[in-house]
Amino acid sequence: MSKPTPLSGFPELLPADRSVEQQLTDHLRRTFELHGFASLETRAVEPLDQLLRKGETSKEVYVLRRLQEADDATDTGMGLHFDLTVPFARYVLENAGRLEFPFRRYQIQKAWRGERPQEGRYREFTQADIDVVMRDELPFHFDVEVALVMAEALSALPLPPMRLRVNNRKLIEGFYRGIGAPDPAVVITIIDKLDKLPVEAVQKLLVTDGELDVAQARQCLALAEIESTDVRFADQVRALGVTHELLETGIDELTQVIEGCASATSDRFQVVASLSLARGLDYYTGTVFEIYMAGFENLKSVGGGGRYDALASDGKTTYPGVGISFGISRTLLPLLSRGLLRADRSVPSAVLVALVDEESREASNEVAQRLRARGIPTEVASSAQKFGKQIRYAERRGIPYVWFPGTDSADGQVKDIRSGAQVDADPDLWRPPDQDLRPKIITDETTTEEQDK
Amino acid sequence: MSKPTPLSGFPELLPADRSVEQQLTDHLRRTFELHGFASLETRAVEPLDQLLRKGETSKEVYVLRRLQEADDATDTGMGLHFDLTVPFARYVLENAGRLEFPFRRYQIQKAWRGERPQEGRYREFTQADIDVVMRDELPFHFDVEVALVMAEALSALPLPPMRLRVNNRKLIEGFYRGIGAPDPAVVITIIDKLDKLPVEAVQKLLVTDGELDVAQARQCLALAEIESTDVRFADQVRALGVTHELLETGIDELTQVIEGCASATSDRFQVVASLSLARGLDYYTGTVFEIYMAGFENLKSVGGGGRYDALASDGKTTYPGVGISFGISRTLLPLLSRGLLRADRSVPSAVLVALVDEESREASNEVAQRLRARGIPTEVASSAQKFGKQIRYAERRGIPYVWFPGTDSADGQVKDIRSGAQVDADPDLWRPPDQDLRPKIITDETTTEEQDK
């Protein structure tokens, strides 16, 4: 077999980078569980009719075919999921009778899309979703809860500062109704293009496709310009002089989210009422979220979500939900490839037990086992090379300590190979400082700050 | 959308069962990392030519097709991996220049096979693999190491007792050569059928297909009958009077594994030299392993592996390896479906903070946040129902504690709803006993013992 080459869009990590990903994922999981979110994993495949319910994503689906099917073109009728929301909605319907509502779940899994790969967009990627789903009616306070949980999870991570943009579908739809737009849904779609097209082009579209007059179009653009880190957005909206019941409900809901998230705001995490935010997918019915990473606005959003009052319904019962998804691959891979994040070692081992000679391997194994018994990740040297070579072995992997077994007891000496300090040690008593127990994430703060500018 | 139905062969777990799976997986991971094995994840897909190198599994591969490809029958040339060994071998070749050898890695991931589903055999399943790979030559002690690590990982799990069967390809091949078998590989394939066919049928095949005379065939069957929990198998083999250099090497290697694993043997884990074991796949070159679960022999092996001296090679350099794979889905799902394992709660929450009324939600949130700050998973009641209903809410989820916030401070009382005991408590000081912090796995010991008989 000749040397294989990577598959475009299917990124894989080297061990040290994988350790960074694992630590980030562990942290997200820990925060989600502290808030009572239960882990869920759904199968990788869904029936095609489920995946194609929202036609717009159909082009991205990978369909599965059994290799040995008689007819080569016969598909299984299944495709790989392209997000975690569609499978979750299906899971809730399928298991509704056996779930307790409100049902808080997190899901950290891979998803697949057959789109053209570019930085931040992969054909296989990992995302972390949290959602709360209820039967019949979901109290509004959950819109605040999911935002707070994600804010808490992301704030503590060694990532560039994050910005959570929040808007409300009722607010913008109410506004568009209030100015007399014939089809508010079309206006939402056009306003959504503001991050791709110049304002003038969007204004033109509002007139041609949105069937608005120029004054109405300018009102819509004025609304989209409003952005505020506190509840003053409400006054700015009202200053535009449009009134509609739905608009008032939307202003009230958005106010609750912005107020509720005040405690989560820091220099690592900002929450912004951002009235241009619409989100393309049409199942959102109230709050909408998008997450941006400072210095990496070129990636567009690295997360998003919102409230969907009827994503799952079996005709008799409706299951409203609210949730946020965070793109682990989309965030992490650009940071890793720029060297802005890295791990200080490529193995879990905190200690390498040296080997005096092949005959004393059992003694080295025993030292290792005694360290492991107290939770210290340890490996034993592969072969009885000169000690200098064994130290180099540890260095290349970033293992901070080398243990030299004693001659006639299990005791010996342990060397911190970073400082060179070497001390007598008992494998039943010695332990490294807590921060050396596991691999650490190292951030290149300087470079991160430059990126932020 | 009408109520969806499960897809055969694609099992999904309810939250409490998922928590069992998560705890088992966490434990495996912890043990692997204590021994210095680094986490690795490979992409879900491999080029078809990689997957089909060992033609025998080709029928099980799911091939990927882009839904919107112009030509409906055009595949991407990629298929879902059916194990974790093929992707790992490819990963090692692809990244050899950037890895440190010996490279210890564990990989806990899903794999897919399009085969007919039955208990213990799924189309989507999770397995946990550990392997050590070296450049050029891999010292034999790693054969012992992977067995010991897997033994340690499985012994501590609340599963039925496990049995690790070990054999050595050199031993049996040397034996077959020693008796003058014209094609030892064919003999291995036939002996491998002993768990499916009666001895007489196998003997007949050894004569017809293996081209042995009856005396030779009986020798092979006598070898296959040898089974021993200690190194006495060596004498039993030698008593058969066959000599061959390769046979002696095999006896020596198997002796080392059995001796090396003596410390891992307990009433939870047995290591057996089992000379009928061959394993079908042809890349094993020395030690071979299979794992069986007591009382569930109908599942056949729940794990397996061995030494492969040339699984990965780029023509210039060869990367020998040794590893064991453990089937998480294959083991766990039958135990869960029989109720032999379950979790004591369906949510991570150890505490439910009750809600006096909607106006005091902020106070309840604050209590919850103070508990979480000290690592106690906590949720707040969804609505201000009567306290009796809120306690029922906790009960249904298995949350052991309900916190009743005080009236004018954040303090209050906490009730253990299992015992009914209720005490004054400070959210900055109170903590549950450690065993209540996370969901626990409950085993039905009685039933498990019955299964063992």
Side-chain angles (χ1 to χ4, degrees), chain B residues 302-325:
Chain B
V302 297
R307 144 95 49 163
Y308 33 87
D309 273 326
L311 186 69
S313 171
D314 60 9
K316 286 202 306 275
T317 313
T318 297
Y319 300 88
V322 61
I324 307 190
S325 168

Short mmCIF file of all heavy atoms in Angstrom, two decimals, chain B residues 302-325:
data_model
loop_
_atom_site.label_atom_id
_atom_site.label_comp_id
_atom_site.label_asym_id
_atom_site.label_seq_id
_atom_site.Cartn_x
_atom_site.Cartn_y
_atom_site.Cartn_z
N VAL B 302 -17.22 -11.11 22.20
CA VAL B 302 -17.59 -9.70 22.35
C VAL B 302 -16.36 -8.82 22.15
O VAL B 302 -16.42 -7.61 22.38
CB VAL B 302 -18.25 -9.42 23.72
CG1 VAL B 302 -19.56 -10.21 23.85
CG2 VAL B 302 -17.31 -9.77 24.87
N GLY B 303 -15.26 -9.44 21.75
CA GLY B 303 -14.05 -8.67 21.49
C GLY B 303 -13.00 -9.60 20.93
O GLY B 303 -13.17 -10.82 20.95
N GLY B 304 -11.93 -9.02 20.42
CA GLY B 304 -10.88 -9.87 19.89
C GLY B 304 -9.76 -9.02 19.33
O GLY B 304 -9.85 -7.79 19.28
N GLY B 305 -8.70 -9.70 18.93
CA GLY B 305 -7.59 -8.95 18.36
C GLY B 305 -6.38 -9.83 18.22
O GLY B 305 -6.51 -11.05 18.12
N GLY B 306 -5.22 -9.20 18.24
CA GLY B 306 -4.01 -9.98 18.11
C GLY B 306 -2.87 -9.15 17.56
O GLY B 306 -2.94 -7.92 17.47
N ARG B 307 -1.81 -9.86 17.20
CA ARG B 307 -0.61 -9.23 16.67
C ARG B 307 -0.63 -9.30 15.15
O ARG B 307 -0.97 -10.34 14.57
CB ARG B 307 0.60 -9.99 17.25
CG ARG B 307 1.81 -10.18 16.38
CD ARG B 307 2.89 -9.16 16.54
NE ARG B 307 3.31 -8.89 17.90
CZ ARG B 307 4.47 -8.27 18.17
NH1 ARG B 307 5.30 -7.90 17.19
NH2 ARG B 307 4.80 -8.00 19.41
N TYR B 308 -0.36 -8.20 14.50
CA TYR B 308 -0.27 -8.21 13.04
C TYR B 308 1.06 -7.56 12.68
O TYR B 308 1.29 -6.39 12.91
CB TYR B 308 -1.44 -7.46 12.39
CG TYR B 308 -1.98 -6.29 13.17
CD1 TYR B 308 -1.43 -5.03 13.02
CD2 TYR B 308 -3.04 -6.44 14.06
CE1 TYR B 308 -1.91 -3.95 13.72
CE2 TYR B 308 -3.52 -5.36 14.78
CZ TYR B 308 -2.96 -4.13 14.61
OH TYR B 308 -3.44 -3.06 15.32
N ASP B 309 1.95 -8.36 12.12
CA ASP B 309 3.30 -7.87 11.91
C ASP B 309 3.42 -6.98 10.69
O ASP B 309 4.43 -6.30 10.51
CB ASP B 309 4.29 -9.04 11.82
CG ASP B 309 4.78 -9.44 13.22
OD1 ASP B 309 4.90 -8.53 14.06
OD2 ASP B 309 5.01 -10.63 13.46
N ALA B 310 2.40 -6.94 9.85
CA ALA B 310 2.52 -6.12 8.64
C ALA B 310 1.16 -5.59 8.18
O ALA B 310 0.87 -5.58 7.00
CB ALA B 310 3.17 -6.91 7.53
N LEU B 311 0.33 -5.16 9.14
CA LEU B 311 -0.95 -4.63 8.70
C LEU B 311 -0.75 -3.35 7.90
O LEU B 311 -1.39 -3.12 6.89
CB LEU B 311 -1.87 -4.34 9.89
CG LEU B 311 -3.27 -3.93 9.45
CD1 LEU B 311 -4.01 -5.09 8.83
CD2 LEU B 311 -4.07 -3.35 10.59
N ALA B 312 0.17 -2.51 8.38
CA ALA B 312 0.44 -1.27 7.66
C ALA B 312 1.85 -1.31 7.10
O ALA B 312 2.80 -1.60 7.80
CB ALA B 312 0.28 -0.08 8.61
N SER B 313 1.94 -1.01 5.83
CA SER B 313 3.25 -0.96 5.19
C SER B 313 3.16 -0.10 3.95
O SER B 313 2.19 -0.18 3.19
CB SER B 313 3.72 -2.37 4.82
OG SER B 313 4.89 -2.28 4.03
N ASP B 314 4.16 0.76 3.74
CA ASP B 314 4.13 1.60 2.54
C ASP B 314 5.15 1.10 1.52
O ASP B 314 5.55 1.83 0.63
CB ASP B 314 4.38 3.07 2.90
CG ASP B 314 5.72 3.28 3.57
OD1 ASP B 314 6.54 2.33 3.60
OD2 ASP B 314 5.96 4.40 4.07
N GLY B 315 5.59 -0.16 1.72
CA GLY B 315 6.57 -0.69 0.79
C GLY B 315 7.98 -0.54 1.36
O GLY B 315 8.73 -1.49 1.44
N LYS B 316 8.31 0.67 1.81
CA LYS B 316 9.63 0.90 2.40
C LYS B 316 9.66 0.48 3.87
O LYS B 316 10.53 -0.23 4.31
CB LYS B 316 10.00 2.39 2.32
CG LYS B 316 10.37 2.86 0.93
CD LYS B 316 11.21 4.13 0.98
CE LYS B 316 10.58 5.26 1.78
NZ LYS B 316 9.65 6.07 1.04
N THR B 317 8.67 0.97 4.63
CA THR B 317 8.66 0.75 6.07
C THR B 317 7.44 -0.07 6.45
O THR B 317 6.35 0.13 5.89
CB THR B 317 8.62 2.10 6.82
OG1 THR B 317 9.59 2.96 6.25
CG2 THR B 317 8.91 1.91 8.29
N THR B 318 7.62 -0.96 7.42
CA THR B 318 6.52 -1.77 7.90
C THR B 318 6.22 -1.36 9.34
O THR B 318 7.12 -1.07 10.11
CB THR B 318 6.88 -3.25 7.83
OG1 THR B 318 7.08 -3.58 6.45
CG2 THR B 318 5.75 -4.11 8.37
N TYR B 319 4.93 -1.33 9.67
CA TYR B 319 4.50 -0.94 11.00
C TYR B 319 3.77 -2.10 11.66
O TYR B 319 2.58 -2.28 11.43
CB TYR B 319 3.62 0.31 10.94
CG TYR B 319 4.33 1.49 10.33
CD1 TYR B 319 4.33 1.68 8.95
CD2 TYR B 319 5.06 2.36 11.12
CE1 TYR B 319 5.03 2.74 8.38
CE2 TYR B 319 5.76 3.42 10.56
CZ TYR B 319 5.74 3.60 9.19
OH TYR B 319 6.43 4.64 8.64
N PRO B 320 4.49 -2.89 12.47
CA PRO B 320 3.82 -4.00 13.16
C PRO B 320 3.00 -3.47 14.34
O PRO B 320 3.33 -2.45 14.93
CB PRO B 320 4.99 -4.85 13.66
CG PRO B 320 6.12 -3.89 13.79
CD PRO B 320 5.91 -2.80 12.77
N GLY B 321 1.95 -4.20 14.68
CA GLY B 321 1.09 -3.76 15.78
C GLY B 321 0.49 -4.92 16.53
O GLY B 321 0.53 -6.07 16.07
N VAL B 322 -0.06 -4.60 17.70
CA VAL B 322 -0.83 -5.60 18.44
C VAL B 322 -1.95 -4.85 19.15
O VAL B 322 -1.74 -3.72 19.62
CB VAL B 322 0.06 -6.40 19.43
CG1 VAL B 322 0.70 -5.50 20.48
CG2 VAL B 322 -0.74 -7.50 20.11
N GLY B 323 -3.14 -5.44 19.18
CA GLY B 323 -4.26 -4.71 19.78
C GLY B 323 -5.42 -5.61 20.13
O GLY B 323 -5.48 -6.78 19.73
N ILE B 324 -6.35 -5.04 20.89
CA ILE B 324 -7.59 -5.73 21.21
C ILE B 324 -8.74 -4.75 21.06
O ILE B 324 -8.64 -3.58 21.41
CB ILE B 324 -7.63 -6.26 22.67
CG1 ILE B 324 -6.40 -7.11 22.98
CG2 ILE B 324 -8.88 -7.08 22.91
CD1 ILE B 324 -6.51 -7.84 24.31
N SER B 325 -9.82 -5.29 20.54
CA SER B 325 -11.04 -4.51 20.34
C SER B 325 -12.12 -5.06 21.26
O SER B 325 -12.25 -6.28 21.42
CB SER B 325 -11.43 -4.66 18.88
OG SER B 325 -12.72 -4.17 18.69
#
